[in-house]
């Protein structure tokens, strides 16, 4: 199923939305890193359901348990296993989906691929799978912060046609967490919350864009052919549920510029280092980090499961309608922020270890 991600810092996620629990096994974490359940819990709390009036009301604390790989508060260098038990599953809400396929969800494709699926909450296709990613991402963040002082901040850039004005070079986690929609542009955030509330009342859903910046990334990360840094970042964030688009730096808007307009000219800074006067490359050139801020954007579609009546078909080929029950986010964007941050952290941590392994020996 492709449950494994990464090379040297490698994760394997497990569990289903309405099973006993979900979690992750982490291989390749360096030994002697100080880590606690509280370190992991902080990011899980930002991802968990039921955290505000604009998220799914499913009542889960998402309390994590580290059950291997850590001793006396430090990593052992062995596999780390983190488990979060499901507490508030309501499988009966999905009885109708046993036979009916939800439009634009994974129901029909899972059935076509495997001939069987867990229809309770979507099983592995549920965003609940991302708990393991966020838990592992919290550890990856700590490694890259401790080793290279890398800082990762994600935030909601746009919801539907409402776009915030945010400076990636200065935005802080505190500003992001200052409102429930995680848009640090306060004026736009209020409009976003009103729009999400109205969408929820209409039994519908909306999408948008999460932007994420990684600052103080060392130069030289990334493999210059198939494992370009932006290619691995794209794979990481595009593997998230509901993701539909990826941009880095100028992204698609760069196609409107000429080479002379788009190129990032070089200069020598006060310490003698090579820098760029602009950052349309988004911190990566030739697949390798150049020391500037890495800035990416991820587009998320509207949540597929909605309360409005829709036309669909059943497993036996009947034309039917479906008004989905269950508890779902009217907009995935606020909870997607820590997910995007985590995937960025996992990629950067993996490439930091790979760089050290190849180029830090001699």
């Amino acid at each position: 199923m492709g449950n494994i991600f990464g090379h040297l810092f490698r994760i394997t996620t497990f569990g289903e939305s309405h099973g006993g629990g979900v979690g992750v096994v982490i291989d390749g974490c360096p030994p002697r890193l100080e880590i606690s359940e509280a370190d992991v819990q902080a990011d899980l709390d930002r991802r968990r359901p039921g955290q505000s009036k604009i998220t799914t009301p499913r009542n889960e604390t998402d309390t994590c348990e580290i059950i291997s790989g850590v001793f006396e508060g430090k990593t052992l260098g062995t596999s780390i296993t983190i488990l979060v038990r499901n507490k508030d599953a309501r499988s009966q809400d999905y009885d109708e989906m046993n036979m009916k396929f939800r439009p634009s969800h994974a129901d029909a494709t899972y059935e076509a691929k495997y001939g069987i699926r867990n229809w309770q909450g979507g099983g592995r296709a549920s965003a609940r799978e991302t708990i393991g990613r966020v838990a592992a991402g919290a550890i990856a963040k700590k490694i890259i912060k401790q080793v290279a002082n890398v800082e990762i901040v994600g935030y909601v850039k746009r919801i539907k046609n409402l776009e915030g004005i945010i400076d990636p070079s200065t935005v802080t986690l505190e500003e992001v967490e200052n409102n429930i929609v995680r848009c640090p542009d306060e004026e736009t955030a209020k409009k976003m919350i009103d729009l999400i509330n109205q969408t929820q009342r209409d039994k519908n859903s909306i999408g948008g864009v999460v932007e994420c910046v990684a600052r103080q990334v060392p130069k030289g990360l990334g493999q210059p052919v198939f494992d370009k840094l932006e290619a691995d970042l794209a794979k990481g964030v595009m593997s998230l549920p509901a993701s539909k688009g990826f941009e880095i730096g100028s992204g698609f808007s760069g196609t409107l510029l000429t080479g002379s307009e788009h190129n990032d000219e070089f200069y020598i800074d006060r310490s003698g280092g090579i820098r760029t006067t602009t950052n349309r490359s988004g911190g990566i050139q030739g697949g390798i980090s150049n020391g500037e801020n890495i800035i990416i954007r991820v587009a998320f579609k509207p949540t597929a499961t909605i309360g409005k009546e829709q036309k669909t078909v059943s497993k036996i080929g009947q034309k039917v309608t479906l008004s989905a029950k269950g508890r779902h986010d009217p907009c995935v964007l606020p909870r997607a922020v820590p997910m995007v941050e985590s995937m960025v952290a996992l990629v950067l941590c993996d490439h930091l270890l790979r760089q050290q392994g190849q180029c830090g020996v001699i």
Side-chain angles (χ1 to χ4, degrees), residues 200-226:
Q200 193 170 34
R201 288 191 290 269
D202 294 340
K203 298 182 179 180
N204 216 333
S205 62
I206 48 177
V209 175
V210 169
E211 189 167 75
C212 186
V213 58
R215 300 189 283 247
Q216 288 90 237
V217 178
K219 295 181 180 181
L221 302 191
Q223 306 291 329
V225 184
F226 296 114

Side-chain angles (χ1 to χ4, degrees), residues 19 21 34 70 73 83 85 93 106 109 164 208 224 228 250 264 271 293 359:
E34 291 186 1
V70 177
L83 172 66
R85 302 179 190 274
D93 288 346
T109 49
K228 287 181 170 68
S250 62
D264 296 315
S271 63
N293 291 341
C359 301

Side-chain angles (χ1 to χ4, degrees), residues 103-138:
S104 287
H105 213 290
D107 300 342
T109 49
Y110 266 59
E111 191 84 23
K113 181 174 179 65
Y114 298 106
I116 187 172
R117 64 185 170 91
N118 183 340
W119 47 267
Q120 297 177 333
R124 288 291 282 170
S126 167
R128 194 149 182 78
E129 175 270 333
T130 62
I131 282 176
R133 304 172 188 234
V134 173

Side-chain angles (χ1 to χ4, degrees), residues 171-289:
V171 65
T172 66
L173 175 63
E174 290 72 25
E175 290 172 337
V176 174
E177 294 298 311
N178 199 40
N179 58 68
I180 58 176
V181 79
R182 293 198 168 95
C183 175
D185 181 338
E186 286 292 332
E187 185 176 342
T188 304
K190 293 175 183 177
K191 296 177 182 178
M192 288 176 172
I193 293 169
D194 289 342
L195 179 59
I196 294 172
N197 283 329
Q198 183 57 55
T199 302
Q200 193 170 34
R201 288 191 290 269
D202 294 340
K203 298 182 179 180
N204 216 333
S205 62
I206 48 177
V209 175
V210 169
E211 189 167 75
C212 186
V213 58
R215 300 189 283 247
Q216 288 90 237
V217 178
K219 295 181 180 181
L221 302 191
Q223 306 291 329
V225 184
F226 296 114
D227 291 350
K228 287 181 170 68
L229 189 56
E230 68 263 54
D232 280 357
L233 287 168
K235 178 178 180 178
V237 297
M238 288 298 291
S239 70
L240 289 168
S243 60
K244 282 296 179 183
F246 172 82
E247 286 187 340
I248 182 165
S250 62
F252 287 101
S253 65
T255 64
L256 305 175
L257 305 177
T258 63
S260 61
E261 292 170 325
H262 189 272
N263 287 347
D264 296 315
E265 295 184 347
F266 291 116
Y267 73 98
I268 303 298
D269 66 15
R270 293 180 179 179
S271 63
I274 298 176
R275 298 289 305 277
T276 62
T277 57
T278 53
N279 190 23
R280 298 184 188 95
S281 300
I284 301 173
Q285 294 171 326
I288 301 170
S289 60

